[in-house]
Amino acid sequence: MNYFVLLRKQAFLGILIMMVCACLGSIRGAWKENQEGYIGVTQKDLERVAEAGVGAPEMIGVMGLAAEQNRWHNLGYAYHYAWRGVVCYCILMAFYCPFYHCRFFERLRVPVMENDEKGLHTADDPVKKRKRE
Amino acid sequence: MERMYKVVRKWGSENLLLTICVVVQLVLVFCTQKPVIVNMDGIFSYTLANSPYDYLFLDGKYSEFPNDNGWIDAHILKEHYVTEDYDRFEYAAVYSHQRYDVHPPLYYMVVHTFSSLAPGTYSNLYTMLVNLLSLFLADIVLLKLFQRLYSFYGCAIVPLILIISMETMRFLLTWARMYMLLFFFCVWYLLIHVGFVLHEQKKTDYVQMVLCIFLGTLTHYYFYVFAAAVTLFTMADMMRTGRVRELLRYLYFGIMGLTASWIVYPWVWFHIFENSQNKHTDIGGWSVEKVMECATFLRDRLLGEGTWKWAILLFFWCVELFVRKKRKGEADKKERSRLHFRRLLFFSGLLYYVTIYTLDGGVIHYHTALYAAFIVWVSMLLLDTISQIGILLALPCLKLWNHHAVRIGAALVGVWILFSGAGIHRYLGGAERVLNAVWQNGPLVSDFWRAPDFFPNHNCLYVEIESDPFFHNFLFSFGEYRLFKKISVEEFERHGIGEEELSGGGLAGEGLVVYLPKKYELNEDDYRLFAEDGDYRIYEYVGGMFE
């Protein structure tokens, strides 16, 4: 099996790995953001106080602005971890590629227990099928 | 006219009937909610959605507000619950608030969107529009759900009527919180699972599942509990019928939705697993008393307080069970699948209820997902019972019994018997009040709550019973005045309201209004009683010292 064809064929698995890694990254980023503590009034707030005119919040500089409280570590980490997930997937497929036609994996890929009306195991074992042929 | 007739005919009487039903439902809810006064939860909804400042309770920072002898610009208070030009569509602020709060951000973002469309103003219409939108979407989903179950849209009229017949739903529909949005996502999740149970799933069901899990989990954490219960029984069904590939695909898309939600909002981890606001720290065990309380709560919330309607429901259920047993083996595939879906609704609703009751006890709104499952379950039970009885009796008019119109009509009679239409009566009463007010240009709420309209450009002195970030739920009223000052009851007891209290701006402007706890009274020569409520009286200062 061509490696790149395999990558494309198993893309659904790649997306799953990428999403799970991004999710873990997001939690890791949130964890870091939690450790860094509360920001409060920011430099940006103070700059806005200096140029505050009509249409600025009344309490600017006294209370921190909510929008400035996000460090967005979660999204940054999610992005980086997602790429790590892609790399993991590529490595995993590189190991898997030579064994693609191995009997064990062929059996695993079979639509096991495909349902029929009675809901019984009816799918043919591909190895046995090949032998029969 | 002829053209209109053609349009109606083309569209079908079934669709027309449902449209009328949905429109009447929306109008009734709209009219009822209009006079609703926003309470503490409503204040939470608006402040978390619209405040430009970080997550802090107002009374904690009050002393730092720029003031003159304690008088602050009331606009500071108003800023917390309305959007201004500088913070319109500022979703990062909403996200930041919800990080410190214990709810996910979707509902607040929707409220913020509606508020941003009308900057500088507050109205309970904004949250009402969110509720109406959720109801409308839930209606559409119910139409699709019953179409899939009975191959006939018209059957959806039963749950649509049921939604406005239940008193509990009336509470949710008129409440400025995220529970109607949660209700919509729960019903949507059920619609997606109809396909899995009936073995008729489409590719779009999987996409919908990802979206539903993503948005549902961003609305309320109890969506996780409901989704877990439904998923558990669906997975069991898939394994029972040997649909392993389907099960794997189902899990795959479920994980997709979940991870997408956690990527966007990872704070769920801290809110749930780290218990960031110390919720659920004193969960009590189960006892005989608690089981009795739990059963009573269930009966009261689903069928009305202290009623014996549960006996009728039980009767319907027994009849259906009896008939089904008699007809064992005769039921077609669709009928068997429907029964299966009903079982799924029953057990997942029950599991959800037991879990949430264990965590929070009898809190009406936390059981929203149970109401969603119950509405669909009861509608199906009534629709199925009627047809089953007809089939069993094998009346000469057997075909007539099978006819959808008779089935729906009889199910609606069942709805009426079970719920007495008490909810509908209350809606009609509320609507009458609103329409009278609109036609006669009369007030919808008492003068007490409209006090700022009577005293424009006045200052407000508030005697505080105890420190409260929502100012005894008067925050939205106080924000409408010119200047605002609060003093404690102890201060008031020490020296009353003297000149020194009013100096520093208190006597500027058009006049002064005092919010005083009811156990105190003010001198009638200087103060005129304007209105009173449960705990407070509002006085207008008529002493005549104003600049």
Side-chain angles (χ1 to χ4, degrees):
Chain A
M1 168 67 77
N2 182 309
Y3 177 68
F4 293 103
V5 173
L6 182 67
L7 276 185
R8 191 167 53 83
K9 213 172 170 184
Q10 304 290 323
F12 71 94
L13 190 65
I15 295 169
L16 182 69
I17 293 171
M18 190 185 80
M19 290 291 277
V20 171
C21 286
C23 179
L24 292 174
S26 184
I27 294 169
R28 167 86 175 79
W31 196 282
K32 192 183 173 205
E33 197 159 332
N34 244 11
Q35 301 295 316
E36 288 180 9
Y38 185 63
I39 299 176
V41 178
T42 62
Q43 186 59 36
K44 198 176 171 188
D45 288 2
L46 297 173
E47 283 165 16
R48 282 183 71 177
V49 175
E51 60 198 43
V54 179
E58 302 261 1
M59 297 296 294
I60 192 167
V62 179
M63 290 173 85
L65 293 180
E68 308 303 326
Q69 304 304 311
N70 300 306
R71 293 184 178 93
W72 301 115
H73 285 332
N74 53 332
L75 296 184
Y77 272 81
Y79 176 76
H80 289 293
Y81 273 59
W83 278 112
R84 286 177 201 187
V86 172
V87 173
C88 282
Y89 167 67
C90 293
I91 295 169
L92 190 74
M93 286 301 111
F95 280 110
Y96 178 47
C97 194
F99 303 104
Y100 186 79
H101 290 297
C102 166
R103 188 185 164 121
F104 173 76
F105 287 115
E106 278 206 345
R107 271 195 182 162
L108 208 66
R109 282 197 303 272
V110 167
V112 274
M113 293 172 80
E114 195 70 81
N115 64 308
D116 63 354
E117 279 193 353
K118 288 175 186 172
L120 297 175
H121 181 134
T122 54
D124 270 351
D125 184 331
V127 183
K128 283 181 187 171
K129 200 176 169 184
R130 209 178 298 153
K131 272 184 186 172
R132 273 205 305 273
E133 283 163 5
Chain B
M1 194 68 189
E2 198 180 329
R3 196 177 159 206
M4 205 170 149
Y5 175 73
K6 273 183 188 169
V7 169
V8 169
R9 211 172 151 191
K10 192 180 169 190
W11 210 39
S13 53
E14 175 195 350
N15 287 341
L16 187 71
L17 186 70
L18 287 168
T19 310
I20 291 170
C21 188
V22 170
V23 169
V24 168
Q25 198 190 37
L26 294 176
V27 168
L28 286 179
V29 176
F30 175 81
C31 289
T32 310
Q33 189 162 327
K34 221 167 172 238
V36 169
I37 295 161
V38 173
N39 58 5
M40 186 186 81
D41 289 295
I43 294 176
F44 255 129
S45 293
Y46 281 95
T47 49
L48 287 171
N50 295 336
S51 172
Y53 305 114
D54 53 11
Y55 185 83
L56 283 171
F57 286 133
L58 277 177
D59 52 348
K61 276 271 175 183
Y62 188 82
S63 56
E64 293 175 36
F65 291 175
N67 67 85
D68 187 357
N69 189 33
W71 290 97
I72 63 164
D73 186 347
H75 189 247
I76 291 174
L77 302 180
K78 193 172 181 177
E79 272 189 333
H80 283 81
Y81 58 86
V82 301
T83 53
E84 302 279 5
D85 287 333
Y86 51 78
D87 66 343
R88 286 175 76 197
F89 303 107
E90 183 73 281
Y91 296 102
V94 188
Y95 188 89
S96 168
H97 289 146
Q98 293 320 118
R99 182 190 152 186
Y100 294 102
D101 190 35
V102 283
H103 293 108
L106 183 67
Y107 172 76
Y108 300 92
M109 286 181 173
V110 180
V111 174
H112 181 71
T113 306
F114 279 103
S115 300
S116 297
L117 294 173
T121 60
Y122 151 75
S123 167
N124 62 6
L125 274 174
Y126 306 150
T127 43
M128 192 197 70
L129 285 173
V130 181
N131 283 2
L132 283 178
L133 184 71
S134 308
L135 176 62
F136 180 66
L137 293 172
D139 284 348
I140 291 173
V141 166
L142 281 170
L143 291 180
K144 284 190 168 292
L145 197 151
F146 277 78
Q147 210 275 336
R148 271 180 112 166
L149 285 170
Y150 293 93
S151 311
F152 185 67
Y153 273 119
C155 289
I157 201 166
V158 181
L160 294 193
I161 297 283
L162 208 57
I163 285 181
I164 48 167
S165 302
M166 279 175 73
E167 187 54 26
T168 315
M169 286 307 295
R170 200 175 83 94
F171 168 71
L172 292 184
L173 284 163
T174 54
W175 206 34
R177 297 293 281 163
M178 75 286 288
Y179 294 96
M180 269 317 291
L181 199 58
L182 176 65
F183 179 84
F184 158 64
F185 286 119
C186 291
V187 180
W188 188 14
Y189 201 66
L190 288 177
L191 167 69
I192 294 160
H193 282 73
V194 171
F196 294 119
V197 176
L198 300 189
H199 301 217
E200 291 171 359
Q201 72 272 28
K202 304 171 207 158
K203 277 181 184 169
T204 53
D205 282 344
Y206 293 106
V207 180
Q208 284 188 54
M209 195 164 106
V210 175
L211 251 179
C212 183
I213 292 176
F214 176 68
L215 296 173
T217 49
L218 288 177
T219 301
H220 199 286
Y221 293 139
Y222 284 165
F223 181 81
Y224 284 104
V225 181
F226 184 67
V230 173
T231 301
L232 189 73
F233 290 109
T234 309
M235 280 167 60
D237 181 49
M238 284 177 172
M239 285 170 83
R240 189 181 60 85
T241 49
R243 291 179 287 160
V244 176
R245 264 174 87 88
E246 261 176 52
L247 175 65
L248 291 175
R249 203 176 297 146
Y250 175 78
L251 281 174
Y252 177 85
F253 284 96
I255 293 170
M256 281 291 167
L258 205 64
T259 48
S261 170
W262 281 32
I263 289 167
V264 172
Y265 193 71
W267 308 103
V268 55
W269 179 272
F270 304 95
H271 291 167
I272 296 179
F273 300 111
E274 304 267 313
N275 201 7
S276 58
Q277 287 212 356
N278 293 322
K279 277 202 164 190
H280 307 133
T281 48
D282 54 347
I283 297 169
W286 281 85
S287 60
V288 179
E289 290 79 35
K290 192 166 177 177
V291 172
M292 292 304 289
E293 277 172 24
C294 177
T296 312
F297 178 82
L298 190 67
R299 182 200 65 188
D300 290 351
R301 295 286 73 87
L302 298 183
L303 297 163
E305 277 184 30
T307 59
W308 37 265
K309 301 284 170 56
W310 61 270
I312 300 175
L313 184 63
L314 196 65
F315 172 73
F316 276 134
W317 199 5
C318 290
V319 166
E320 205 268 338
L321 280 173
F322 174 73
V323 175
R324 192 155 27 91
K325 200 159 189 179
K326 277 261 176 196
R327 293 186 58 242
K328 204 173 178 185
E330 290 173 39
D332 60 15
K333 197 181 163 193
K334 185 103 179 176
E335 231 175 299
R336 283 202 304 270
S337 303
R338 271 208 306 264
L339 176 66
H340 223 74
F341 185 67
R342 232 173 58 209
R343 278 185 192 143
L344 179 132
L345 285 171
F346 181 84
F347 287 111
S348 51
L350 192 67
L351 184 61
Y352 174 86
Y353 178 60
V354 171
T355 311
I356 301 301
Y357 200 90
T358 309
L359 290 172
D360 287 304
V363 182
I364 297 176
H365 44 278
Y366 288 160
H367 297 282
T368 301
L370 169 74
Y371 311 140
F374 177 75
I375 285 169
V376 179
W377 181 79
V378 167
S379 305
M380 287 182 73
L381 180 74
L382 289 173
L383 285 164
D384 290 344
T385 308
I386 305 301
S387 58
Q388 294 279 8
I389 293 171
I391 292 162
L392 177 77
L393 295 176
L395 293 170
C397 52
L398 181 64
K399 279 187 180 169
L400 180 69
W401 273 100
N402 271 330
H403 197 274
H404 285 304
V406 178
R407 181 190 241 186
I408 294 163
L412 286 177
V413 172
V415 170
W416 194 263
I417 294 170
L418 278 172
F419 298 95
S420 316
I424 295 178
H425 280 138
R426 291 198 182 161
Y427 278 114
L428 291 173
E432 191 186 359
R433 202 172 133 210
V434 172
L435 292 174
N436 279 342
V438 171
W439 283 325
Q440 293 163 11
N441 209 17
L444 278 168
V445 291
S446 67
D447 286 351
F448 185 91
W449 291 98
R450 294 191 307 133
D453 297 339
F454 287 94
F455 304 109
N457 208 25
H458 276 53
N459 303 326
C460 174
L461 182 70
Y462 166 57
V463 180
E464 189 179 56
I465 298 173
E466 59 183 11
S467 183
D468 175 4
F470 309 112
F471 302 112
H472 209 82
N473 296 344
F474 299 144
L475 178 67
F476 294 172
S477 294
F478 293 159
E480 299 300 319
Y481 291 107
R482 184 173 171 273
L483 296 177
F484 173 80
K485 179 177 181 175
K486 69 167 184 168
I487 58 170
S488 65
V489 166
E490 291 75 29
E491 281 177 86
F492 176 77
E493 281 176 348
R494 266 203 305 276
H495 48 71
I497 303 173
E499 270 186 54
E500 65 183 67
E501 206 61 69
L502 299 178
S503 65
L507 293 175
E510 298 278 325
L512 176 73
V513 169
V514 180
Y515 282 68
L516 189 73
K518 262 185 163 176
K519 64 175 181 175
Y520 304 104
E521 281 188 0
L522 288 173
N523 174 10
E524 284 182 10
D525 297 336
D526 289 338
Y527 294 92
R528 179 179 73 85
L529 178 65
F530 171 71
E532 60 182 315
D533 192 35
D535 298 327
Y536 272 81
R537 287 198 183 99
I538 300 177
Y539 288 91
E540 183 194 8
Y541 180 68
V542 288
M545 287 189 291
F546 276 83
E547 293 160 5

